[in-house]
Amino acid sequence: MAFPWLLLWEVSLTVTVIASTLVTIIILTLPSTFSHFKPYEVTEANFTDDDKNNAERSGFAYYQKHKDESGNLTIDASVQVVVLGDIGRSPRMQYHALSIATNGGKVDLIGYVDPNVDINPEVKAHRMITIVPIPSFPYQATSRLLFILLAPLKVAFQFQALYHALGYRTKACKWMLVQNPPSIPTLMAAQLICFLRNTKLVIDWHNFGYSILALRLGPDHFLVRISRWYEGYFAKSATAHFAVSNAMCRVLKEKWNIDALPLHDRPASHLQPLIESDRIAFLKTRPELEGQPFDLADRSWRLIVSSTSWTPDEDFSILLDALVRYATIRKREKDLPRIWAVITGKGPLQAYYKSKVQQYIQEGNLNDTIISTAWLSTADYARLLGSADLGISLHTSSSGVDLPMKVVDMFGTGLPVAGWGRFEAWPELVKEGENGRGFGSADELCDILQQLFGEKDNGRQLGRLRDGALRESERRWEDEWGPVAGELFRLRKDK
């Protein structure tokens, strides 16, 4: 009779030893935690000779100004800046990283690094910013069914990549600043790491993840409902929140009782207005104009620029249809100038719309109109905006309360904007008739192009909008960031 008890004892002992060993291994391999008693310190050895020659960009000037008698600089704030997306296509998160670093903080900037996409040169040059690349999911969904089937694998892959980068490839930080969306699995991974590493979580709300998912699956799909619950559940316990518009702050409060600080996008310092000579000099370098029979200085043409990610929430057909209508009207009204439209960006629908452009050209619907696509460096993109006559925004807003950063960039160069204005937050950014115009259809956009480019009022409307955009260009990112994010992170300021 003793045999079963002895067997039970041996099995129980074995299970206990295995469980104890596993718990011990887990405890020993947990990420290190942040300690206020072990601050991050910088010495002159952290800087190269090139850093010293470019003291402002590398952060060496800040070190020289604030180091103590022993040559050490104690960092006031260390921050993991996280974007589960391409860093080069996330200008706001790059601006966050640069502002933290230039105001006395240490940054690990974590996200995807596309070799074909430029990261802000100032971000790459700053010694207090470390770029930590994470691998991207190797498969792309080409249909709705494949998207649903691949979703669990993609989430698992992204979770482990984030967990490893946040927990083991970077030192424990005081703060973690996370871009949302994407929400899944970013918010869960961030909450877990912040709990394990004694880090404070801050969420920077650009939009809602579930509303973007609804564009693909429909608002009533069960995955969209799960995403909406997930987003609210994992966001509530964050230490603080930023949001890109006042309207988004209101929705966060109403939907999930989240108190967010409004932190509007503003242009960075590299986006500046151009004088006419610099404008013409840049345009002469563009290959699209080779062989074109017009003078860059005689104003018999107008340059419009639109930056798009070629996704369903930016309907490029609106601009294309408006240009076709404009070309038709121009055949009757010869005083209307020609249009050269440059569309920048990359995305899944680019090939589809390029084929439509070619079709219209072959059918003769875009006579005297140039439509070209481009992928530019950070510096050339800024010069293109500064050289244009009108910026076009096709952002329709899946939530109704986010704002297109491309418009902020345009204002930074003093470029007036015409944009899709049928969503709640639009008036926070564009003042109708002062720095831009809103439209809700291709016909309305065509009317705006005629009004602004026609000679009936000698360009007074366009000039008025440009004056308003130039006034808007004076409002810069640092002016907005300092009193909100700088105050939250308690970063010391240069005096």
Side-chain angles (χ1 to χ4, degrees):
M1 295 294 294
F3 177 76
W5 288 105
L6 180 60
L7 179 61
L8 182 61
W9 166 254
E10 291 177 348
V11 171
S12 300
L13 183 61
T14 302
V15 172
T16 301
V17 170
I18 293 173
S20 176
T21 302
L22 289 175
V23 170
T24 301
I25 292 173
I26 291 172
I27 292 174
L28 292 177
T29 57
L30 284 176
S32 60
T33 59
F34 174 76
S35 172
H36 294 275
F37 301 103
K38 295 180 181 179
Y40 192 98
E41 290 191 336
V42 178
T43 67
E44 190 164 343
N46 291 98
F47 299 92
T48 66
D49 290 339
D50 286 341
D51 295 332
K52 295 173 184 178
N53 292 332
N54 297 279
E56 291 294 336
R57 291 184 67 182
S58 68
F60 183 70
Y62 188 95
Y63 161 78
Q64 288 284 80
K65 185 173 183 178
H66 294 284
K67 66 181 180 180
D68 58 26
E69 294 180 355
S70 62
N72 293 331
L73 170 65
T74 301
I75 295 297
D76 293 332
S78 54
V79 186
Q80 291 174 316
V81 178
V82 184
V83 49
L84 192 60
D86 184 70
I87 294 174
R89 293 187 178 95
S90 306
R92 179 176 168 101
M93 302 311 286
Q94 293 185 72
Y95 296 167
H96 273 299
L98 198 57
S99 293
I100 294 166
T102 54
N103 285 281
K106 174 69 176 70
V107 178
D108 289 318
L109 179 55
I110 300 160
Y112 303 141
V113 176
D114 186 338
N116 299 315
V117 180
D118 283 346
I119 294 176
N120 189 318
E122 294 184 44
V123 172
K124 294 169 68 175
H126 206 290
R127 186 57 59 182
M128 293 298 100
I129 300 176
T130 301
I131 297 174
V132 182
I134 57 176
S136 58
F137 188 62
Y139 305 107
Q140 295 293 328
T142 56
S143 66
R144 177 169 169 167
L145 177 60
L146 190 58
F147 174 81
I148 294 174
L149 292 176
L150 285 177
L153 293 176
K154 184 175 182 179
V155 168
F157 180 92
Q158 291 176 325
F159 184 89
Q160 65 81 26
L162 273 177
Y163 184 84
H164 183 234
L166 297 175
Y168 297 95
R169 295 175 59 199
T170 54
K171 292 182 179 180
C173 290
K174 182 178 181 180
W175 300 92
M176 182 187 296
L177 176 62
V178 174
Q179 173 186 298
N180 186 74
S183 312
I184 301 173
T186 313
L187 296 183
M188 180 188 292
Q191 287 283 14
L192 178 58
I193 289 295
C194 287
F195 172 76
L196 294 176
R197 306 199 80 174
N198 191 30
T199 296
K200 297 178 181 180
L201 176 62
V202 181
I203 300 174
D204 190 31
W205 294 83
H206 297 197
N207 203 345
F208 301 129
Y210 77 86
S211 69
I212 294 177
L213 185 62
L215 291 176
R216 186 159 196 167
L217 301 179
D220 298 324
H221 196 280
F222 78 98
L223 287 179
V224 175
R225 294 198 297 269
I226 291 173
S227 175
R228 181 167 48 203
W229 168 85
Y230 165 97
E231 199 164 2
Y233 179 81
F234 283 100
K236 285 181 180 179
S237 57
T239 301
H241 303 261
F242 303 137
V244 297
S245 71
N246 295 326
M248 186 172 288
C249 290
R250 177 186 58 75
V251 171
L252 285 168
K253 182 65 175 179
E254 293 175 353
K255 189 181 296 291
W256 293 310
N257 197 31
I258 289 174
D259 293 310
L261 300 170
L263 179 54
H264 291 87
D265 284 320
R266 300 294 179 212
S269 58
H270 71 279
L271 293 155
Q272 296 289 340
L274 294 183
I275 61 175
E276 185 67 11
S277 59
D278 290 341
R279 176 178 182 271
I280 294 175
F282 170 73
L283 292 179
K284 285 181 178 179
T285 68
R286 299 307 304 161
E288 298 90 345
L289 294 183
E290 290 184 9
Q292 293 298 328
F294 52 76
D295 186 348
L296 290 171
D298 70 3
R299 314 307 297 155
S300 63
W301 59 280
R302 290 292 185 270
L303 170 58
I304 64 176
V305 176
S306 180
S307 176
T308 177
S309 55
W310 301 98
T311 53
D313 65 336
E314 294 183 323
D315 189 356
F316 179 66
S317 65
I318 295 173
L319 175 57
L320 189 56
D321 290 345
L323 291 177
V324 169
R325 288 175 171 82
Y326 181 91
T328 301
I329 295 170
R330 188 177 178 276
K331 292 178 181 179
R332 303 191 307 267
E333 302 180 20
K334 298 300 183 180
D335 60 326
L336 287 176
R338 297 174 59 186
I339 285 183
W340 171 31
V342 179
I343 318 299
T344 70
K346 293 181 179 180
L349 296 178
Q350 183 177 12
Y352 166 75
Y353 280 116
K354 287 181 74 173
S355 67
K356 288 200 69 173
V357 170
Q358 289 303 316
Q359 178 185 341
Y360 281 133
I361 291 175
Q362 293 172 3
E363 294 172 352
N365 294 321
L366 286 171
N367 289 335
D368 293 331
T369 302
I370 305 172
I371 300 180
S372 54
T373 59
W375 183 251
L376 304 172
S377 67
T378 300
D380 278 352
Y381 177 63
R383 285 192 282 266
L384 177 66
L385 295 183
S387 302
D389 295 287
L390 184 67
I392 305 292
S393 171
L394 302 171
H395 180 80
T396 55
S397 180
S398 63
S399 63
V401 292
D402 69 315
L403 288 168
M405 193 166 185
K406 61 176 68 67
V407 174
V408 177
D409 292 343
M410 292 168 182
F411 283 160
T413 65
L415 178 63
V417 174
W420 181 272
R422 300 297 190 265
F423 57 97
E424 180 182 350
W426 176 254
E428 289 187 37
L429 185 59
V430 176
K431 305 298 185 291
E432 184 69 25
E434 294 182 20
N435 53 24
R437 298 283 301 274
F439 59 81
S441 67
D443 286 337
E444 290 182 13
L445 175 56
C446 182
D447 290 341
I448 290 171
L449 295 178
Q450 292 180 73
Q451 293 168 21
L452 297 183
F453 295 161
E455 296 298 327
K456 295 178 181 179
D457 66 348
N458 296 316
R460 283 193 294 270
Q461 288 190 62
L462 185 60
R464 185 162 56 248
L465 295 184
R466 180 170 289 279
D467 290 342
L470 286 169
R471 288 193 296 272
E472 196 70 26
S473 73
E474 298 173 0
R475 306 173 65 184
R476 292 287 158 173
W477 169 258
E478 280 296 330
D479 300 329
E480 184 82 13
W481 188 89
V484 182
E487 187 67 26
L488 175 71
F489 296 136
R490 293 182 172 84
L491 287 163
R492 67 177 160 223
K493 310 292 189 298
D494 283 328
K495 301 297 185 183

